[in-house]
């Protein structure tokens, strides 16, 4: 272990709520922080603001431009957001890791442990499927699920309002507008990014979302970064729990628009000073909706087929790749070049079955011996 890493490891594990994140200096082979060496940093990025009560041309312009914008007059009660943030903080930051890992929907290191990732992200959270609500247990997690259902109803309203406003500019008929967004069957992820003892770590690695759109409600800590004009640009958190929301477009919006709209590439920087909480809602097409766009940019495909192919591609190569069975030119989200998969030494094991079930130690063992060099643009890692 390198000098100083012992104290860093102690700092990282002193909090019993914190998952056993590996420190870079503990990595085998002197692994350096590849996450921060790819792209330069730029000045803070100013985002356009869209008024949900009168989206107008400002909405279409934001979608054609950055693919991410602030949303004002969204109608989500500030008191509801505050209660959900407080409950999320109690559920994630005040409960021991050993208790959280036994709860359904809990994740750490990545929202999708069954997929191979290059580096463990400094994040934990809960995944809540909004379209399949069941009776919640009388526990802090149960309180979180109840609030998530109420909050999800507001998110569905917001998503439908935005998508209906885009239907005419996109030339969608009534059937397409109805099936290209299944807003009540989306999901909510509650993310906690604990304080990180090392500089330069990522809470969430660079990716695009596979959704139609994603709605982000974040606290005042900040950390979200958007890739724009060849650099990573910080995005100010805005009003936090009582102000504007952030909306970013995903791969499905880009495909539906025939590349007129942008699926934005983004990531989250970990903080040494304070932990960060965010609430992220993701809306997708119906699984059986046949998605097509004007001009034949993409072959007609279903979201279910796209999702299965993305998961297979990430498991095989570590990134989203071209799927000629779905697209005429490229799969949504593959406009970002990837590096080739390196040859692997004989005997390097695949991640174990326990790793795919989320066992931290097994996951670490599989990750260290199977780290693909291609960037991971997994589905919905915000």
């Amino acid at each position: 272990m390198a000098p100083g890493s012992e104290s860093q490891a102690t700092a990282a594990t002193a909090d019993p709520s914190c998952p056993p994140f590996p420190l870079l200096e503990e990595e085998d082979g002197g692994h350096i922080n590849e996450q921060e060496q790819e792209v330069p940093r730029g000045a803070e990025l100013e985002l356009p603001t869209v008024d949900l009560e009168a989206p107008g041309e400002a909405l279409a312009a934001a979608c054609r431009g950055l693919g991410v914008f602030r949303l004002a007059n969204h109608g989500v009660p500030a008191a509801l957001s505050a209660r959900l943030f407080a409950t999320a903080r109690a559920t994630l930051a005040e409960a021991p890791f050993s208790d959280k890992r036994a709860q359904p929907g809990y994740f750490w290191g990545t929202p999708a442990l069954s997929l191979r990732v290059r580096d463990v992200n400094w994040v934990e959270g809960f995944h809540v499927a909004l379209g399949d609500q069941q009776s919640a247990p009388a526990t802090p997690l149960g309180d979180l699920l109840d609030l998530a259902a109420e909050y999800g109803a507001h998110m569905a309203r917001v998503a439908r309002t935005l998508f209906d406003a885009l239907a005419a500019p996109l030339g969608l008929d009534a059937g397409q507008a109805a099936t290209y967004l299944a807003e009540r069957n989306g999901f909510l992820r509650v993310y906690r990014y604990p304080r990180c003892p090392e500089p330069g770590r990522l809470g969430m690695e660079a990716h695009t979302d596979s959704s139609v759109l994603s709605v982000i409600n974040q606290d005042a800590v900040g950390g979200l970064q958007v890739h724009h004009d060849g650099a990573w640009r910080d995005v100010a958190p805005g009003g936090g729990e009582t102000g504007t929301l952030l909306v970013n477009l995903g791969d499905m919006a880009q495909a539906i628009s025939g590349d007129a709209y942008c699926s934005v590439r983004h990531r989250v920087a970990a903080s040494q000073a304070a932990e960060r909480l965010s609430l992220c809602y993701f809306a997708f097409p119906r699984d059986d909706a046949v998605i097509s766009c004007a001009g034949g940019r993409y072959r007609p495909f279903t979201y279910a087929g796209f999702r299965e192919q993305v998961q297979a591609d990430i498991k095989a190569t570590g990134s989203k790749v071209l799927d000629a069975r779905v697209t005429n030119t490229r799969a949504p989200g593959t406009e970002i070049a990837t590096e080739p998969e390196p040859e692997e030494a004989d005997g390097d094991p695949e991640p174990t079955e326990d790793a795919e079930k989320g066992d931290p130690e097994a996951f670490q063992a599989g990750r260290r011996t199977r780290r693909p060099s291609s960037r991971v643009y997994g589905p919905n890692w915000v």
Side-chain angles (χ1 to χ4, degrees):
M1 184 178 292
S5 60
E6 183 176 357
S7 61
Q8 289 180 330
T10 300
T13 58
D15 179 0
S17 74
C18 194
F21 299 114
L23 297 175
L24 291 177
E25 294 183 7
E26 296 175 314
E27 294 288 313
D28 296 335
H31 175 52
I32 61 174
N33 189 356
E34 298 170 312
Q35 303 176 97
E36 286 293 308
Q37 296 190 347
E38 298 171 357
V39 182
R41 295 280 297 277
E44 184 174 288
L45 183 64
E46 292 293 330
L47 300 183
T49 297
V50 173
D51 187 336
L52 188 62
E53 295 180 355
E57 173 56 25
L59 173 60
C63 294
R64 291 192 301 267
L66 293 175
V68 58
F69 55 88
R70 302 190 189 279
L71 187 66
N73 291 324
H74 46 72
V76 179
L80 173 60
S81 290
R83 293 202 313 274
L84 185 50
F85 271 105
T87 303
R89 186 171 287 108
T91 306
L92 286 166
E94 299 175 12
F97 170 70
S98 58
D99 291 348
K100 290 182 293 189
R101 66 183 296 189
Q103 299 296 323
Y106 176 75
F107 60 85
W108 73 274
T110 169
L113 278 178
S114 62
L115 302 181
R116 298 188 307 164
V117 296
R118 185 185 62 186
D119 289 293
V120 173
N121 299 292
W122 206 271
V123 66
E124 66 169 346
F126 281 101
H127 174 105
V128 181
L130 297 172
D132 186 26
Q133 291 293 314
Q134 301 177 355
S135 57
T139 63
L141 178 58
D143 294 340
L144 180 68
L145 296 177
D146 286 340
L147 287 171
E150 182 179 356
Y151 184 82
H154 284 282
M155 291 293 100
R157 170 184 55 79
V158 167
R160 175 47 64 183
T161 302
L162 288 172
F163 195 71
D164 284 350
L166 291 172
L170 290 174
L172 303 182
D173 60 33
Q176 291 171 320
T179 60
Y180 283 8
L181 188 79
E183 68 274 12
R184 297 195 179 277
N185 291 325
F187 60 78
L188 180 71
R189 282 195 179 132
V190 180
Y191 293 107
R192 177 199 179 206
Y193 302 88
R195 288 176 60 251
C196 180
E198 291 181 316
R201 290 295 295 265
L202 292 181
M204 192 69 68
E205 61 195 321
H207 65 284
T208 61
D209 293 346
S210 291
S211 57
V212 176
L213 55 85
S214 308
V215 184
I216 307 167
N217 193 348
Q218 57 185 331
D219 63 16
V221 173
L224 179 65
Q225 298 175 340
V226 168
H227 187 257
H228 180 65
D229 285 344
W232 285 110
R233 310 280 294 276
D234 290 323
V235 174
E241 297 172 8
T242 60
T244 58
L245 300 172
L246 287 178
V247 179
N248 70 261
L249 302 187
D251 298 338
M252 292 300 96
Q254 181 170 323
I256 291 168
S257 70
D259 287 355
Y261 297 166
C262 175
S263 178
V264 63
R265 184 183 174 204
H266 54 285
R267 68 183 188 182
V268 175
S271 171
Q272 291 182 278
E275 72 174 27
R276 176 182 186 263
L277 290 176
S278 66
L279 314 171
C280 302
Y281 162 84
F282 303 92
F284 305 89
R286 276 179 28 180
D287 276 1
D288 60 352
V290 178
I291 297 172
S292 60
C293 66
R297 182 69 170 173
Y298 298 99
R299 298 178 185 175
F301 65 95
T302 65
Y303 175 69
F306 174 84
R307 181 183 61 228
E308 291 172 2
Q309 188 60 45
V310 165
Q311 292 174 351
D313 290 343
I314 293 174
K315 287 181 179 179
T317 71
S319 63
K320 297 179 186 178
V321 297
L322 175 68
D323 180 13
R325 290 168 294 174
V326 176
T327 67
N328 281 330
T329 54
R330 63 173 185 256
T334 58
E335 69 280 5
I336 304 167
T338 59
E339 303 164 6
E341 182 79 8
E343 294 184 6
E344 296 171 351
D346 292 341
D348 280 353
E350 294 283 352
T352 66
E353 181 178 355
D354 287 338
E356 295 195 350
K357 293 178 181 178
D359 180 78
E361 290 75 19
F363 177 67
Q364 292 307 316
R367 185 185 64 84
R368 287 177 180 174
T369 54
R370 296 279 295 183
R371 183 186 297 116
S373 67
S374 55
R375 303 181 183 91
V376 178
Y377 298 102
N380 316 307
W381 295 2
V382 178

